[in-house]
């Protein structure tokens, strides 16, 4: 008596188990350069919000400064949204126009 436990079995929601087990979509969180936010503040954001080391933070900050944008990390959607909101709130409170966005990681 053998049972087939394949992934093509439909769950209660009508979605196959294979579809349910799919990895979540990932999103890149980006910082954008501006003419007012200090480099020190950007490094602080990278260390405190994104938990980067000092060296990683400086490297990302230099990418933002030289290329106009830098990738802070790649996260599931909810975490990416949370990090973007954290940056926006901290920048607003500090009086900086630092822009942080997210885009789907293909």
């Amino acid at each position: 008596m053998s049972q087939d436990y394949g992934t093509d079995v439909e769950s209660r929601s009508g979605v196959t188990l294979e579809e349910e087990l799919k990895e979540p979509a990932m999103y890149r969180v980006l910082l954008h350069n501006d003419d007012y936010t200090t480099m020190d503040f950007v490094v602080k954001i990278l260390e405190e919000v994104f938990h980067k080391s000092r060296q990683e933070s400086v490297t990302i900050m230099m990418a933002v400064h030289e290329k106009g944008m830098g990738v802070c990390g790649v996260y599931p959607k909810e975490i990416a949204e949370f990090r973007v909101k954290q940056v926006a709130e901290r920048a607003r409170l500090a009086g900086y126009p630092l822009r942080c966005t997210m885009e789907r990681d293909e």
Side-chain angles (χ1 to χ4, degrees):
M1 181 178 207
S2 170
Q3 291 187 352
D4 180 13
Y5 294 105
T7 58
D8 59 343
V9 176
E10 283 193 19
S11 68
R12 290 182 193 152
S13 65
V15 177
T16 65
L17 292 177
E18 186 174 277
E19 291 170 331
E20 284 183 15
L21 297 176
K22 230 187 224 184
E23 290 291 320
M26 300 297 280
Y27 290 80
R28 283 188 294 267
V29 177
L30 310 166
L31 285 180
H32 301 268
N33 192 39
D34 63 67
D35 293 333
Y36 302 100
T37 305
T38 65
M39 292 179 178
D40 287 339
F41 184 77
V42 173
V43 169
K44 181 179 176 181
I45 287 290
L46 290 161
E47 290 175 338
E48 294 178 0
V49 175
F50 297 96
H51 310 289
K52 301 294 183 187
S53 70
R54 175 61 114 188
Q55 185 56 49
E56 285 177 297
S57 297
V58 169
T59 300
I60 296 167
M61 176 275 296
M62 289 307 295
V64 172
H65 180 68
E66 294 171 353
K67 299 175 183 175
M69 178 173 42
V71 178
C72 304
V74 180
Y75 307 96
K77 185 177 183 180
E78 293 78 16
I79 294 172
E81 289 172 337
F82 179 69
R83 298 277 162 90
V84 168
K85 287 178 186 174
Q86 282 184 302
V87 171
E89 180 67 12
R90 288 178 183 224
R92 185 185 64 75
L93 289 172
Y96 292 117
L98 181 62
R99 202 167 130 239
C100 185
T101 61
M102 59 188 261
E103 65 184 21
R104 191 169 177 145
D105 188 44
E106 300 299 328

